Amino acid sequence: MTSAPLALETLTDGGQRPEDVGARLADWIAQTQRTLDLALYSVHVPGPVGDRVMAAVRDASARGVAVRALLHRPDLPPSPLHATAMPRVRVDVLRRAGVHIELTEQRRDLMHHKFAVRDDAAVWTGSTNWTLDDFGAEENVIVQLESPAIADAYSAVFSELWATQQIDGTGAYDTRVAGVGDAQVRPWFCPGRGRALSHRIADRITTARTRVRVASPIITAGPILSALSAASAGHVDLSGIVDISQTVRVLQQWAAGQPTWKGPVLEQLLRSHGFAGKASSEDFGRPGSVRDTMHAKVVVVDDAAFVGSFNLSRSGENNAENTLEIDHAPTADRLATWIDELCARYPPAAAGLAGGVQA
């Protein structure tokens, strides 16, 4: 990554060394002068990679930086409809590095953020947990921003979570667009603006002129699914990728429970419009297993992109999540190209559906 005001990194399964990702994170942490606030779902980086990251945290604390971490409680499992695994968190390792820690107490929803705020001026965010698997075995995105205005918004949400250890009500305010280099950037936070975020993404999809690209483990948020279905009937260039293993599990849960319009609409979308599906490991979520999900959460619409921790899901609207809406043609182009490369790398989603869900 560069020192540009807005820097983007895309990760693929086996496409980069975890050591290099960890080194960039450690270098980013090493620049901290006063405060470092971390809101993280999973933190599990054993071995030399983690040693380097934790050394940067420990050094920051030793020179007087106030380091705080707000973490999802590691003993609170997500429900099946969250389509995610238990967090991996070594609280003891963080405490030994001088980190002051609070754990969320809410049991229903997830503290699913993956962001850091440095000196109230810089933000590290995206879909990437701080784990070896996220660094090397999953599709993910990392975004770095140098922007006091954006950092202020993230700091405000962190302060809410830190003060209450509760997810409900956090981020319940409208944020402003800020100029970050040549880009116009607006942060969104769930659950406070979760439903509004789904509608914002849906509105941009509905008004797309040329292209829509999607990368999300699952797609279950009603407004977004409806907008994608409508776009698929028009002349917009539409394609994307899901984690087909997680998607099949959600479709099976729907089929076994209360009938919903979403199942047939999602299947039709995936079968008919160039979507790919990455099959993640069958032992998904088992302690000690490799997590190799298609983990990115990206929507590209024309020259804009949404990037963050927010799965395009109904449960995601209620979790503690963050997403950046970035109006910037080079960023949108880069992410669209990356998604196209993933679609070429992985099989059609229709093949995965045929093996797991009957038409």
Side-chain angles (χ1 to χ4, degrees):
M1 285 190 177
T2 70
S3 59
L6 172 63
L8 187 79
E9 183 173 10
T10 54
L11 309 180
T12 58
D13 187 347
Q16 62 288 313
R17 299 195 318 150
E19 293 86 347
D20 295 334
V21 180
R24 286 188 284 275
L25 175 57
D27 290 345
W28 188 89
I29 293 169
Q31 299 174 52
T32 313
Q33 300 298 315
R34 298 179 294 101
T35 60
L36 181 64
D37 289 335
L38 316 174
L40 301 170
Y41 181 69
S42 274
V43 187
H44 184 73
V45 193
V49 180
D51 291 344
R52 182 164 182 175
V53 173
M54 286 300 105
V57 173
R58 186 170 53 252
D59 290 348
S61 179
R63 64 175 181 270
V65 172
V67 186
R68 300 185 295 177
L70 191 288
L71 308 172
H72 185 85
R73 269 185 57 180
D75 60 332
L76 296 182
S79 74
L81 284 177
H82 281 112
T84 192
M86 285 280 289
R88 293 172 171 174
V89 179
R90 287 293 304 274
V91 174
D92 58 324
V93 172
L94 289 167
R95 285 197 171 121
R96 285 200 299 270
V99 181
H100 302 282
I101 294 173
E102 292 286 357
L103 304 178
T104 54
E105 295 296 330
Q106 193 165 318
R107 294 182 174 273
R108 185 183 66 252
D109 302 311
L110 306 182
M111 206 302 297
H112 200 237
H113 289 302
K114 307 97 167 51
F115 73 75
V117 183
R118 187 185 70 201
D119 294 332
D120 296 319
V123 176
W124 174 293
T125 189
S127 63
T128 310
N129 291 301
W130 291 17
T131 78
L132 281 181
D133 292 344
D134 281 75
F135 292 175
E138 295 185 337
E139 283 67 35
N140 272 308
V141 179
I142 298 169
V143 185
Q144 289 185 37
L145 300 99
E146 299 281 344
S147 168
I150 299 296
D152 282 349
Y154 277 84
S155 292
V157 169
F158 182 90
S159 295
E160 291 176 330
L161 289 162
W162 183 264
T164 66
Q165 293 86 57
Q166 297 295 319
I167 293 166
D168 284 349
T170 59
Y173 50 83
D174 293 327
T175 55
R176 295 182 178 180
V177 175
V180 183
D182 296 332
Q184 295 295 305
V185 180
R186 179 183 180 185
W188 291 82
F189 299 99
C190 306
R193 291 293 180 265
R195 198 62 172 171
L197 173 58
S198 282
H199 281 285
R200 176 63 174 172
I201 296 172
D203 288 346
R204 296 207 73 154
I205 292 170
T206 300
T207 58
R209 302 181 307 276
T210 58
R211 66 180 176 189
V212 174
R213 295 290 185 272
V214 178
S216 181
I218 57 174
I219 307 172
T220 63
I224 296 172
L225 189 54
S226 293
L228 289 171
S229 180
S232 71
H235 301 289
V236 174
D237 180 10
L238 168 64
S239 64
I241 183 169
V242 297
D243 186 289
I244 199 63
S245 302
Q246 294 186 45
T247 296
V248 165
R249 281 194 287 271
V250 169
L251 288 168
Q252 290 172 340
Q253 290 162 12
W254 281 342
Q258 187 71 24
T260 174
W261 61 269
K262 294 180 181 180
V265 170
L266 177 57
E267 288 191 50
Q268 177 63 24
L269 176 71
L270 298 180
R271 291 181 190 277
S272 303
H273 295 284
F275 274 73
K278 179 185 181 181
S280 52
S281 298
E282 290 299 317
D283 59 359
F284 173 79
R286 183 177 58 80
S289 64
V290 174
R291 298 182 182 176
D292 59 355
T293 60
M294 203 307 296
H295 197 248
K297 302 94 165 56
V298 178
V299 177
V300 177
V301 182
D302 297 332
D303 291 336
F306 294 84
V307 187
S309 70
F310 173 64
N311 293 319
L312 306 182
S313 68
R314 184 68 180 96
S315 59
E317 296 174 356
N318 297 321
N319 294 337
E321 308 275 11
N322 72 95
T323 292
L324 294 167
E325 180 180 1
I326 305 172
D327 280 283
H328 189 228
T331 295
D333 287 345
R334 181 174 175 186
L335 288 169
T337 298
W338 179 64
I339 293 172
D340 287 345
E341 291 169 352
L342 296 180
C343 289
R345 176 179 182 178
Y346 292 109
L353 291 175
V357 177
Q358 297 302 314

